[in-house]
């Protein structure tokens, strides 16, 4: 019985990976608003029913794509977060944001170009939401910011990053 469960888990992991890869590939070619569930399913060689067994909608898959980058982003900023210098928390947090934004822009996905052609702004909204959630988790784990510093940093991010 356990063996069957493990096989299902592996298939689910593989299916989600294939769907995420398909969305990433399609984002390089099309505006997010123009990409349909059928496009994603066809590119991943997976049925639409299988898509809906794994994700509620296209935005749910998009959030999954961003989460796949989370561990790599956290690994990139870990040395900055673990420094014990006398600098202010805001400087440390600002440096972390710069590292995260840089890593996103040098990733395999051309985020800058994709965001420019995002006519629906859904992609921008979901990336912003992911980024806010990630920063909140960092703040909670490392206790590096006050709420005020976090808000100021988010304002700087929105004003300058995209």
């Amino acid at each position: 019985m356990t063996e069957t469960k493990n096989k299902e888990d592996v298939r689910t992991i593989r299916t989600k990976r294939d769907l995420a890869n398909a969305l990433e590939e399609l984002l390089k070619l099309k505006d997010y608003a123009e990409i349909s569930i059928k496009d994603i399913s066809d590119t991943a060689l997976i049925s639409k029913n299988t898509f809906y067994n794994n994700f509620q909608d296209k935005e749910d898959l998009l959030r999954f794509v961003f989460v796949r980058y989370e561990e790599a982003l956290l690994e990139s900023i870990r040395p900055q977060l673990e420094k014990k210098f006398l600098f202010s928390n805001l400087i440390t947090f600002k440096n972390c944001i710069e590292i995260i934004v840089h890593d996103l822009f040098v990733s395999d996905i051309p985020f800058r170009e994709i965001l420019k052609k995002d006519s629906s702004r859904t992609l921008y909204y979901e990336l912003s939401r992911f980024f806010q959630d990630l920063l909140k988790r960092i703040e909670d784990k490392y206790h590096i910011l006050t709420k005020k510093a976090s808000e100021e940093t988010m304002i700087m991010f929105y004003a300058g990053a995209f």
Side-chain angles (χ1 to χ4, degrees):
M1 187 72 129
T2 306
E3 188 175 322
T4 305
K5 175 77 172 138
N6 288 339
K7 286 183 182 181
E8 289 174 352
D9 290 343
V10 170
R11 282 185 284 178
T12 300
I13 291 167
R14 191 175 304 128
T15 298
K16 287 182 175 184
R17 179 204 61 204
D18 291 348
L19 288 166
N21 289 344
L23 179 58
E24 288 179 12
E25 287 305 312
L26 288 167
L27 283 170
K28 294 175 186 176
L29 305 172
K30 298 169 110 177
D31 182 357
Y32 177 78
E34 297 171 358
I35 299 171
S36 68
I37 301 296
K38 182 175 179 359
D39 293 334
I40 297 166
S41 298
D42 288 351
T43 302
L45 303 175
I46 293 171
S47 74
K48 281 176 62 174
N49 285 339
T50 301
F51 177 94
Y52 286 112
N53 287 337
N54 290 280
F55 298 102
Q56 292 178 358
D57 53 27
K58 192 168 65 166
E59 287 74 24
D60 192 26
L61 173 58
L62 181 61
R63 286 186 288 275
F64 178 78
V65 168
F66 293 145
V67 168
R68 292 190 337 163
Y69 287 92
E70 184 172 333
E71 188 55 40
L73 293 172
L74 289 173
E75 193 59 37
S76 293
I77 64 172
R78 191 165 282 122
Q80 182 68 35
L81 291 170
E82 292 174 353
K83 286 182 180 178
K84 299 296 181 197
F85 295 120
L86 297 176
F87 295 112
S88 76
N89 290 340
L90 184 57
I91 291 172
T92 300
F93 202 61
K94 182 180 179 290
N95 291 343
C96 290
I97 289 173
E98 290 171 355
I99 292 167
I100 290 169
V101 171
H102 175 265
D103 284 1
L104 285 174
F105 284 123
V106 298
S107 74
D108 292 339
I109 300 177
F111 280 106
R112 186 174 303 205
E113 290 77 23
I114 290 169
L115 288 169
K116 283 181 187 175
K117 62 183 179 181
D118 178 25
S119 63
S120 69
R121 303 297 285 166
T122 303
L123 188 64
Y124 176 81
Y125 170 76
E126 290 297 339
L127 181 60
S128 298
R129 198 166 106 183
F130 163 74
F131 197 68
Q132 287 176 347
D133 292 345
L134 177 62
L135 295 178
K136 179 69 175 127
R137 284 191 297 280
I138 291 168
E139 182 178 2
D140 290 346
K141 181 174 180 178
Y142 290 95
H143 309 290
I144 63 171
L145 282 182
T146 64
K147 183 171 175 47
K148 183 178 184 314
S150 177
E151 290 168 357
E152 290 171 359
T153 306
M154 288 309 298
I155 290 167
M156 290 185 329
F157 168 75
Y158 287 121
F162 298 113

